[in-house]
Structure formats: structure tokens, C-alpha cells
Amino acid sequence: MRCRNGSLVTLFCLAAFFSLSWYTAWYRDKEYGMDSYEKQFLELQQRLFHAEQENQKRSRDLSTVLDEIKRAVAEKRNAFENHTVEEIKWKVLNMTSKLPMQFTSIYMFLPHLLGHEDSLQPNVHYGHGKTGASIVIGIPTVKRDKQSYLMDTLSSLFLEMSAAEKEDCVVIVFIAEVNAQYVNELADNIKNNFAQEIQSGVLEIISPPSSFYPDFATIKETFGDSKDRVKWRTKQNLDYSFLMLYAQPKGTYYLQLEDDIVAKPDYFQSIKEFATQQTSDDWLILEFSQLGFIGKLFKCKDLPHIAEFFLMFYKDKPIDWLLDHYLWVKVCNPEKDSKHCDRQKSNLRIRYRPSLFQHVGTHSSLAGKIQNLKDKDFDKRALHKPHLNPPAKLSTSLKVYQQYSLERAYMGEECFWSFSPVAGDYILFEFTETLQLEGYLFRSGNIEHPGDKLFNTTVQALPAETVKNVPQGQIDEDGFVQLGKFQNGIAEGKISSSLGKIKAIRLKILTESPVWALLSEIFIKLKK
């Protein structure tokens, strides 16, 4: 009989074996002829032998399982030590490229991601996977109950960039929603409005996988905030972190913006020069706006650590509080007073003046919240542009807002601002004498209110004499001839000499507008 040493089964087996051998010898010596008992003992011996065989097999199986566990743990440890998660697969214009999303312990802070292989793989809707940029600009956007400012924000950013600056930049729009229909519609809308930027690779559009967000219903309410507000700020922390980790390998600096801002002319060059002119590399944040999380510039190499800190406390406090706490942890001495702490933080958080970005949104991404936040350091020079216009009698069917009258706008003293237009509304300029005109320029919206534009509005002229050969549909019953129409808030064009002298110019609104109407520039050009 074979028994393994060192186990309870083995000891039992040996004891039984010797007992059985002793009884067998005793019975044989005594020759009592008890065959039946001997047969039972032999059967017991056989069963014990099979039990030992099974014990050996299970021991081998347990040893194999333990080896597999050790190997798996070693692989996980190596993965975390290398600070990488499985490489992200991108689906971009039927092409595939790879970029690592570097992070060390995201599953510790977001355990709900375990078991979801694609939880950190963004859905890339449009883009070329561009890297090597000087500045990467991140813009998170969500569905708003009221007005969206995203298109105007992108227009402002790209309008103030030169062709060379676009080559040195990546703008990432992060649609922080999981409703596939909404995300796809918005992505296509952005693409249609900024096709050239998509094609050149300066603009990318991504969204999170549906498994990225936790169950917000279980989040604890803190600081007296409502359930909705706690959910809003918690999700915002996750959105910023996701966007930072995606942007990290794409460039040298990362600029955090929001989806309801406007930019100053030459902002890109100003940021780049200010960052490169810093005498020390110890800074953590360069601020180009004093509001919230707008205009904050980070070094891309710092983003994994910053995002990790945000994710560690994403349920607890708003993003701007967490950023200040991160600075406190870095440099503040608890044995010193608050003034000493502020001085230390000022070495890491450096302010640029005047501000390069202005917040223009009124309706917050938090449903029902109105926020009239304005950066007082932002230059307001470009709110309207004055021109010398010919004498005219002015009238409008629009309801004027406060002091922003049509007369003051025509004189170049202020912009014209009115409540939401409806179909049939008009703005009329009747000249005191008939004039030979060369052209016209009307600009709606301004740097602080870029969305308050004229939509579906035509520019018309009333000739002093009847004009022949006007195409059908280009002349109204009252004799006004269509000259052009507003496109992206601007109407500009020449006036043909075939119209002769002009008695009046009219802006005619054809459909209801979802926003207010603002004229920041009125220029009626006389023929020289």
C-alpha cells in the first residue's frame, strides 16, 4: 500500500494499514478461519488506497491553480508598474492607430469599470489621431436644456488661429453623453460646420463608452447640495479626467476650456509665448481666465497625476476645489499660516493678464441654473465697431433691449440688441436723400454674445426708380430688391450700379429666431 507523508489522510492510512496487518496475522496465527472478517478488512484497505490516490490528484490540481494565480498577479503588477492600460483601439476614417492611455490605478477609484474591457476606450467619431502638437485644447460638452454655445465657441477659437497655429494644435471636443443618437447627431453637426478642421486633423470628436459612468443614484449628498447638483459636479469631474487622459499623449501643453466661451485675437500665440518664457519649470497651472476651470494650461506630462487626484475624490468636491487642494498638498505646510500657503501656491499657479477667454453662456449645463459669470479682466474693445453712415431715418419692428437702440448702433456708439425676432420683423434705414451706394456690411453677434445672430434674414434695397430685368422672386411687392442674405451672422456684398440710386435699405427676417438679435456692426458704403 502506498501513502504520501505529511497529510491527515496519510496518517490515517498508515494506522489502518498496520492495524489491518496485525489483525490479519493474529487471525492467521490462531487459525480461527474467520474468512468473512478478513474479506471486509481487505475491502477497507482497497478503499483507503483509492482515497489516497484521489488526494494526490487534488493536490496536483491545487498546485496548478496556485501557479496560475501567481502568474496572473505578476502580470497585473507589471501592467501597473508600466503605468499603462491596454492600448486603445481607434476607429478613425476606416484607419486604425494606437495611443496608450497612461494611468496607474484607475480601477481602484472606479471599480465599476472592472469587467468592462472597453470602459476606457473612447468612441472616436472624427479625427486623425494627431500627435506632436504644442497645445492640445480640451472642450467637454453636454446636452443643454436651453441654448447650446458649442458652435460659436469653436468658431471663435478657429477664427483667431492662423494656418500655422492650426498645424501646431489639436482641439478635442468631448461629447460627454451616452445617448448614441444625440452623440452621433451632434458629431455630424460639428463635422458639417467644421469640415476643413476635421479633414486637416486639428479637430477631433470623441465620446465615452456607456460603461464609463457609475451609478450616480448611490452618490452621497454633501455641502448642502441637491441630488441633481451632486450628480452634475461628480459627472463633471469624471468628464474632465477622461478628457485629460485622452489628451495627454498628444502634445506638450494642455488647455482646458468650456463649451461656452469666446477667445481673444492672437490667444494661441500669447499662450505659447507665456508658457515658454517661464523661467522655472516648477509651475503646475498657467491661468488665462480667472473664472472656474476656463483657460487653465497644464503640462501634458503632469496630467496623469492630476487626473488621478481628481478621480480619487471625484465624488466629494467640485473640480475647482479639488484643483486647489492638489496645490495645497503639493506645497503647503500645515504648521504655517494661510498666507504662507498662498505664497507657496502662487509659485505653482501663475496668472496671465488680461484674460484671453470670456464666459458667454447664460444657461448652465446644470438644468435650471442661470449663471451670468463674466471675467472682469477680459478686454471688451470688440463688442461693436463704429462706421460713418449716411444720414437716415431708422425704424424697426423689433423690441429693443434697454439702451441698445438702433440709432446708437447706426452712429457707432453702441451695438443694437433686441428680443427674439419672428417672421416678418424688419430693420429699416430710409435715407434723407437718394444715394448711389457701393456696398454694405452687417455683422450680428459679438465676442460676448456670439450666438445672438440674425438667421434667415435678407438684405434688401429700394431703388429710387423702377428697375427692369430683376429675377423672379428677388423683388417684393413693395419694390424692395433682394441684395443678399446673412450667412453665419454676417451679410456683406456690393450693390450693382444697375439699381441706380437707392432710397432705403431693409433687413427682413423670414423665420422665428431661437435667440435674441444683436447688430455689432452697421456699414452702408457710399459710392465714391
Side-chain angles (χ1 to χ4, degrees):
M1 180 175 181
R2 297 173 59 191
C3 294
R4 291 184 58 185
N5 295 328
S7 69
L8 292 175
V9 176
T10 300
L11 294 174
F12 178 74
C13 180
L14 289 172
F17 175 77
F18 285 117
S19 297
L20 178 61
S21 299
W22 183 83
Y23 273 104
T24 301
W26 186 80
Y27 278 116
R28 284 175 178 171
D29 290 343
K30 298 297 183 180
E31 296 181 351
Y32 286 158
M34 300 178 69
D35 293 339
S36 60
Y37 288 106
E38 184 177 2
K39 183 178 181 181
Q40 291 178 14
F41 280 117
L42 289 173
E43 290 176 354
L44 175 61
Q45 183 183 20
Q46 189 67 22
R47 285 199 296 271
L48 288 174
F49 174 76
H50 287 302
E52 176 61 17
Q53 292 292 101
E54 186 66 23
N55 178 55
Q56 293 179 17
K57 181 177 181 298
R58 291 182 179 180
S59 296
R60 290 193 297 269
D61 291 343
L62 285 173
S63 179
T64 301
V65 171
L66 287 173
D67 289 340
E68 287 294 322
I69 292 174
K70 291 177 181 178
R71 183 185 60 79
V73 170
E75 288 180 355
K76 289 292 184 182
R77 184 182 296 114
N78 291 335
F80 285 130
E81 288 176 354
N82 292 333
H83 293 182
T84 62
V85 178
E86 184 181 359
E87 287 185 309
I88 302 169
K89 296 178 181 177
W90 308 76
K91 293 180 287 185
V92 186
L93 302 177
N94 297 323
M95 299 175 63
T96 306
S97 60
K98 295 181 179 179
L99 285 175
M101 180 179 281
Q102 296 193 2
F103 204 64
T104 56
S105 51
I106 192 168
Y107 295 108
M108 293 177 61
F109 312 125
L110 304 175
H112 66 278
L113 298 184
L114 290 169
H116 297 281
E117 295 179 359
D118 298 333
S119 56
L120 296 177
Q121 297 182 15
N123 302 313
V124 180
H125 298 272
Y126 297 104
H128 289 296
K130 182 178 177 181
T131 59
S134 289
I135 299 178
V136 183
I137 300 176
I139 305 173
T141 186
V142 297
K143 185 177 182 180
R144 296 174 183 262
D145 289 344
K146 300 290 184 179
Q147 182 178 354
S148 174
Y149 309 91
L150 177 61
M151 300 302 174
D152 294 318
T153 294
L154 293 173
S155 294
S156 176
L157 291 174
F158 291 130
L159 181 65
E160 304 300 344
M161 274 191 206
S162 67
E165 288 171 343
K166 288 182 179 180
E167 292 181 1
D168 198 24
C169 177
V170 180
V171 177
I172 304 167
V173 175
F174 176 52
I175 306 175
E177 300 285 352
V178 294
N179 182 299
Q181 181 179 351
Y182 172 79
V183 170
N184 291 330
E185 287 178 356
L186 180 55
D188 290 341
N189 191 19
I190 298 171
K191 177 197 172 187
N192 293 335
N193 282 275
F194 300 96
Q196 184 176 353
E197 285 76 15
I198 291 286
Q199 186 63 33
S200 67
V202 67
L203 178 59
E204 295 187 11
I205 306 170
I206 66 171
S207 65
S210 58
S211 59
F212 176 67
Y213 297 110
D215 181 7
F216 291 112
T218 62
I219 294 176
K220 182 181 178 181
E221 296 176 28
T222 55
F223 302 108
D225 287 340
S226 66
K227 194 82 171 179
D228 287 341
R229 187 176 182 87
V230 172
K231 174 184 174 181
W232 171 75
R233 76 182 197 215
T234 300
K235 180 179 177 298
Q236 191 177 63
N237 291 341
L238 293 173
D239 293 340
Y240 282 122
S241 301
F242 190 99
L243 183 51
M244 284 182 169
L245 293 174
Y246 174 83
Q248 189 271 330
K250 287 182 169 291
T252 305
Y253 302 109
Y254 173 76
L255 178 67
Q256 183 68 63
L257 293 179
E258 294 182 5
D259 64 352
D260 54 356
I261 60 93
V262 291
K264 261 189 177 180
D266 301 320
Y267 74 93
F268 189 93
Q269 188 63 26
S270 299
I271 291 173
K272 191 173 178 180
E273 289 179 355
F274 190 67
T276 55
Q277 289 172 1
Q278 296 301 310
T279 56
S280 171
D281 193 47
D282 293 338
W283 64 269
L284 189 74
I285 310 165
L286 301 182
E287 293 188 296
F288 297 92
S289 170
Q290 66 174 346
L291 297 178
F293 216 52
I294 298 173
K296 304 298 183 280
L297 188 80
F298 305 88
K299 295 186 283 286
C300 283
K301 66 181 182 180
D302 292 336
L303 291 180
H305 304 293
I306 296 170
E308 184 174 11
F309 188 85
F310 290 164
L311 291 175
M312 195 181 304
F313 303 103
Y314 78 96
K315 298 179 182 179
D316 301 312
K317 292 186 177 181
I319 193 77
D320 48 345
W321 292 12
L322 292 180
L323 186 60
D324 187 71
H325 291 334
Y326 185 74
L327 298 177
W328 192 96
V329 171
K330 280 279 190 182
V331 295
C332 289
N333 187 337
E335 297 180 355
K336 303 281 179 124
D337 59 18
S338 59
K339 291 183 179 180
H340 180 270
C341 180
D342 290 340
R343 286 194 300 270
Q344 294 299 107
K345 288 192 294 185
S346 67
N347 295 324
L348 301 185
R349 189 172 193 161
I350 302 172
R351 182 85 165 84
Y352 175 93
R353 287 184 172 84
S355 297
L356 297 181
F357 304 98
Q358 178 65 289
H359 178 262
V360 296
T362 301
H363 301 282
S364 170
S365 57
L366 175 61
K369 180 184 177 185
I370 302 296
Q371 51 183 20
N372 295 307
L373 299 175
K374 296 298 176 186
D375 192 328
K376 296 179 180 180
D377 287 340
F378 188 81
D379 192 356
K380 297 183 178 181
R381 291 174 300 176
L383 295 184
H384 72 280
K385 187 173 182 179
H387 290 284
L388 182 62
N389 291 304
K393 177 185 176 182
L394 312 177
S395 60
T396 180
S397 62
L398 292 166
K399 185 178 179 181
V400 180
Y401 176 65
Q402 294 185 358
Q403 78 275 13
Y404 301 98
S405 67
L406 184 59
E407 288 76 16
R408 295 188 67 191
Y410 194 72
M411 297 296 292
E413 298 174 357
E414 184 60 89
C415 59
F416 168 65
W417 207 1
S418 65
F419 294 97
S420 303
V422 296
D425 276 333
Y426 67 87
I427 299 172
L428 181 62
F429 309 92
E430 296 179 279
F431 306 118
T432 55
E433 60 181 65
T434 58
L435 302 171
Q436 195 77 42
L437 299 180
E438 179 179 330
Y440 59 89
L441 169 62
F442 298 98
R443 188 184 305 274
S444 61
N446 63 19
I447 197 166
E448 286 199 359
H449 301 279
D452 290 354
K453 297 175 182 178
L454 285 170
F455 300 95
N456 203 8
T457 301
T458 60
V459 181
Q460 303 174 321
L462 179 62
E465 299 179 1
T466 303
V467 180
K468 299 179 180 180
N469 301 323
V470 177
Q472 188 176 4
Q474 298 295 306
I475 185 168
D476 281 4
E477 294 178 355
D478 54 5
F480 276 87
V481 178
Q482 182 172 323
L483 303 176
K485 61 182 180 179
F486 279 77
Q487 293 183 331
N488 198 26
I490 300 173
E492 183 176 16
K494 294 185 178 295
I495 299 176
S496 173
S497 58
S498 64
L499 294 179
K501 290 188 175 182
I502 304 298
K503 295 170 61 177
I505 295 289
R506 181 172 69 186
L507 307 183
K508 185 177 180 180
I509 298 166
L510 305 180
T511 57
E512 182 178 354
S513 174
V515 295
W516 290 14
L518 185 153
L519 277 176
S520 57
E521 189 171 0
I522 301 172
F523 188 18
I524 297 174
K525 306 174 187 178
L526 291 171
K527 192 168 186 178
K528 297 179 181 179

